[in-house]
Structure formats: structure tokens, C-alpha cells
Amino acid sequence: MELLRLATAGSVDDGKSTLIGRLLYDSKAIFEDQLESMERVSRQRGDEYTDLALLTDGLRAEREQGITIDVAYRYFATPVRKFIIADTPGHIQYTRNMVTGNSMADLTVVLVDARKGIVEQTRRHAFLASLLRVPHLLVCVNKMDLVGYDRDVFEGIREEFASFASRLDVRDLSFIPISALQGDNVVQRSANMPWYEGASLLHHLEQVYISSDRNMIDARLPVQWVVRPQAASVPDYRGYAGQVAGGVFKPGDTVMVLPSGLTTTVAGIDTFDGPIDEAFPPMSVTVRLTDDVDVSRGDLICRPLNQPTVGQDLDAMVAWMTERPLAVGDFLALKHTTRWVRAVVRDVRYRLDVNTLHRDESASTLGLNDVGRVSLRVTQPLYYDSYRRNRLTGSFILAAEDTNVTVGAGMLHGPD
């Protein structure tokens, strides 16, 4: 079955964790012991109902404060699709966690409290989702039960959000009025909102078309591991394992290995389940080549007539995730696909106000949760595509050299 990765976004107390709990509960994807645990904790806290948010808020601090801090992942499936859900926090100080959870999402569910409407953090998260090139944005206007299921409230929020989204790079935008607490329009259509003629949340998630979202043109295979088994039955086996980041590979294809530039032919493609006739994103495969060329971890296998950009001077949008500011002259470790290099910050071109989308060209640093355009110089050439063209080969992470802690995430621009 096809896999859909979805993530939540929105402000504090908009009901993200409750929505996921309701989605899993109503779709019969919660084990009995999980339900018993939530019921027991809800009774101990004096709640009059089972708090479904407890399914994802597992940290003690999260349960004490009633908020989400870390990214919680949940897995479930229906007869139509498999799903990986990333429940992300709404607090501004945990924006970096929201970026992490949405970085690989096919769809982002933006929650809006029907009583409060669109707030600063709603705009921040919507902008970040568009910056991360999440292909599908679904706005769920939650807590409709608390505004009497008023259609005018929903329509007002939809118009305001659509106006803001028109300034973003959003490919697919949808709206659903829901009540996560009561279950309205989550798994089943709600009788309380007869004026809404669209699909329920689950039906939308099952039917949204994602097959065309990945780059199937530019063949890219970053080599993660050289496979050399020591078994006597395969003494001469040599394969190159990794996740296909773009395009399609087939036995017999002529390919090029970067950085050496040597060309060869694909002899075969292996998986855990055996040989296959073609590999495409996001499959993890082992490619065998006909010639004994030098291929190492961090190299890239592509097509000779369709090569990525090669360069050491990088232009990127960077989301900064630590309290220590990013400044010109800083040295950092940079990980791009399977390759680690050193990088130096050459220039902070501007800082972006995620609420007004104004560019502050006087800014010389990026602080915690800031987003800005940065010029970097790396010690070794990278083989990349623009983030707009390929999210996997167009992104990177930045880490502090002394601690190896992730401090930023970047999205590469192509050459001017």
C-alpha cells in the first residue's frame, strides 16, 4: 500500500494531539492497553472524559502542562493507505521541532481554533510548511462545537487563511471544519454541519494524490553503504546501498558516479525481498555495477546526461534552531544526503519575518527560530539540486563542530 507521511501544525491548544488521538481512536487503531492507560490517567487528573491527547503526549512534562514538546510519531493503516503521523508542538520555542516533523511530510494538517481564528503561530507554521515545500496543506478549523457549528465562523477563517496563503508557495490547499473532541468530520461526516459537503479528514487523507509529488525525472542515488558480504556463497558481491532520492533506476541503465565522473552500467538492483526490475523514490536498494569503479559512502550515482549542480559556494534558506546566533564567519559541520563536510558562513543576506514575509536586509545574524537567506562555503564540492526541484538532494542540516548537535536546517537554491 502507498505510504502517506503527515504532520500537524498550528498554535498552542488548537487541538493537534487530540485530533490525532481521535483519528486513531475512531479508526480503531488504538490497542486496548493504550486506551486503558489513557482512561486511567484521565481519571487520575479528574477529567470528565478520556483525554485522547495522552496518546501522543507521552513525556511527563507534556502531561503535566497539557502541551506537546517533542515530536511524537504514530503509525496506522487503513485498507487504502499506510500512514506515519508526526505530532509537532505549537509553542514558538519548539518551532525547531515543528520543522523537524514537517521536513519529510507529504501533507501538513494546520489546526485553527474556531474561537481564536488565525493567530501568529498559525501563520508561522503555514509559512514554514510552504518553505519546506510540503506538497499538500490541509487546514482543519477545530472546536466547531464551541461556536455552535456556525458556518460563518468557518467561512471567515477560510477566507482569511486563503488570503494569507496566496502569498505563499502552496500547491494544494484544502479546508475541513471539525471537532476533534467530539469526532465531527474526523473519521465520519458530521450531522451537526449539514452545510459542509466535503470529505471527512480520514477520507481526505486516504484520497489525496501524492504519486506525482516526488521527482521521478532526475535519477539520484546517494551512496550510504558499500555492501561487501563475507559469505562464501557470494565471494565477489559488491553493492552500493542507499535510498533513491529521485528518478528511476533499471538494470542496464548507464550511470555516472560522482565525484570521480566514471561511467558504468547497472548490473542489478537488490532489496531485502530480492532483485527488482526498477527502483524509484523512496525505495532503499542496493545497486550492483558491471565495472569495478571506486565508489564510497557519500558518492552519488546519477545519469551522465542529467547531472546535479556541483559546487562549494551554497545559497540557501536556513532555519536556525539554537539559542546561539548564526553569524558571519561561523564554522559548522554540514550534512548533505550521506556526505559530511565543513562549512563557513560567508554572508547573511537577509532575515525573513515569518509573519509579514518582510525581508530584513540589515540583519547580520539569525537567532533561535529565525529563517533567513545565507551564503555558505564548504570544504568539498557537493552534488545537489535546488530544494524546489528535489527535497532530498536540495536540503542539508548544520551541526555544531564541538558537540555535533543539530543547530540548523537548510534548503538550497539553484544557481542563478
Side-chain angles (χ1 to χ4, degrees):
M1 288 190 297
E2 194 173 42
L3 172 66
L4 174 71
R5 297 175 180 268
L6 66 125
T8 60
S11 189
V12 181
D13 293 332
D14 280 350
K16 296 182 291 297
S17 298
T18 302
L19 174 61
I20 292 177
R22 172 60 67 182
L23 179 64
L24 297 178
Y25 177 79
D26 285 359
S27 60
K28 313 300 182 185
I30 298 179
F31 294 112
E32 289 186 6
D33 59 334
Q34 292 176 315
L35 181 58
E36 291 173 358
S37 176
M38 289 189 297
E39 291 174 342
R40 182 176 63 256
V41 174
S42 297
R43 288 194 302 268
Q44 292 172 351
R45 289 168 36 167
D47 294 336
E48 297 180 356
Y49 56 89
T50 300
D51 187 357
L52 297 175
L54 295 172
L55 183 66
T56 56
D57 290 342
L59 297 177
R60 177 177 295 180
E62 292 178 321
R63 295 193 172 192
E64 289 176 348
Q65 301 179 57
I67 63 172
T68 300
I69 296 175
D70 200 2
V71 181
Y73 293 94
R74 290 294 179 268
Y75 310 85
F76 80 107
T78 68
V80 179
R81 255 185 189 153
K82 295 186 293 185
F83 300 92
I84 299 178
I85 308 175
D87 183 25
T88 69
H91 282 71
I92 186 172
Q93 60 264 45
Y94 303 123
T95 300
R96 55 190 173 185
N97 296 29
M98 178 270 173
V99 171
T100 300
N102 283 265
S103 60
M104 295 303 297
D106 301 305
L107 181 147
T108 295
V109 179
V110 180
L111 270 289
V112 179
D113 189 325
R115 301 168 301 172
K116 302 176 183 178
I118 297 172
V119 296
E120 176 181 335
Q121 197 68 339
T122 310
R123 296 186 179 90
R124 180 186 300 273
H125 282 191
F127 165 72
L128 290 173
S130 70
L131 183 67
L132 292 166
R133 299 286 296 172
V134 179
H136 307 276
L137 208 61
L138 173 60
V139 180
C140 288
V141 182
N142 192 23
K143 305 185 182 181
M144 289 296 295
D145 55 313
L146 300 182
V147 295
Y149 300 102
D150 191 336
R151 179 176 184 173
D152 291 338
V153 173
F154 171 72
E155 295 294 347
I157 293 174
R158 179 165 67 173
E159 291 177 8
E160 183 181 355
F161 192 98
S163 176
F164 175 73
S166 66
R167 302 161 59 192
L168 306 177
D169 191 2
V170 178
R171 291 170 46 189
D172 176 35
L173 180 62
S174 304
F175 297 85
I176 300 178
I178 67 169
S179 170
L181 187 63
Q182 303 298 332
D184 295 288
N185 285 337
V186 177
V187 172
Q188 302 293 335
R189 288 279 304 275
S190 172
N192 295 315
M193 290 177 277
W195 45 265
Y196 172 70
E197 299 178 351
S200 67
L201 171 62
L202 181 60
H203 186 268
H204 182 90
L205 297 179
E206 288 180 330
Q207 300 302 321
V208 62
Y209 186 70
I210 62 173
S211 298
S212 62
D213 294 339
R214 297 184 176 92
N215 185 322
M216 303 297 286
I217 299 174
D218 306 317
R220 305 285 187 263
L221 178 66
V223 177
Q224 184 175 4
W225 194 256
V226 179
V227 181
R228 290 282 289 164
Q230 302 302 314
S233 58
V234 283
D236 299 322
Y237 188 95
R238 183 189 296 269
Y240 308 100
Q243 183 182 37
V244 180
V248 180
F249 290 90
K250 298 179 181 179
D253 286 348
T254 300
V255 294
M256 173 180 284
V257 180
L258 296 175
S260 68
L262 298 174
T263 59
T264 182
T265 304
V266 176
I269 304 173
D270 300 325
T271 68
F272 179 81
D273 298 317
I276 57 176
D277 294 329
E278 62 179 13
F280 48 85
M283 297 174 64
S284 294
V285 299
T286 299
V287 172
R288 290 179 284 111
L289 304 177
T290 56
D291 301 302
D292 291 330
V293 296
D294 183 12
V295 183
S296 305
R297 175 183 171 88
D299 290 356
L300 182 78
I301 300 175
C302 63
R303 296 283 179 81
L305 301 180
N306 184 0
Q307 300 178 38
T309 302
V310 181
Q312 291 178 258
D313 294 305
L314 309 179
D315 179 18
M317 293 296 294
V318 171
W320 195 243
M321 302 179 179
T322 188
E323 294 180 355
R324 179 183 175 183
L326 172 73
V328 175
D330 285 352
F331 285 89
L332 299 161
L334 184 150
K335 185 177 187 292
H336 173 257
T337 62
T338 58
R339 191 179 185 90
W340 280 98
V341 296
R342 294 188 71 204
V344 61
V345 180
R346 301 185 66 182
D347 185 29
V348 177
R349 299 176 61 177
Y350 58 80
R351 180 174 59 228
L352 197 62
D353 187 321
V354 298
N355 299 307
T356 65
L357 305 185
H358 171 72
R359 298 181 179 182
D360 181 6
E361 298 184 356
S362 64
S364 58
T365 62
L366 295 182
L368 176 63
N369 296 324
D370 281 343
V371 176
R373 193 160 180 174
V374 175
S375 297
L376 302 168
R377 172 80 175 182
V378 293
T379 53
Q380 300 177 40
L382 297 183
Y383 323 107
Y384 65 92
D385 301 285
S386 68
Y387 187 79
R388 176 180 292 273
R389 188 170 183 87
N390 191 314
R391 294 172 71 189
L392 293 176
T393 58
S395 60
F396 61 85
I397 62 171
L398 296 169
E401 289 190 306
D402 53 346
T403 63
N404 207 36
V405 172
T406 301
V407 294
M411 292 138 279
L412 289 159
H413 289 270
D416 294 332

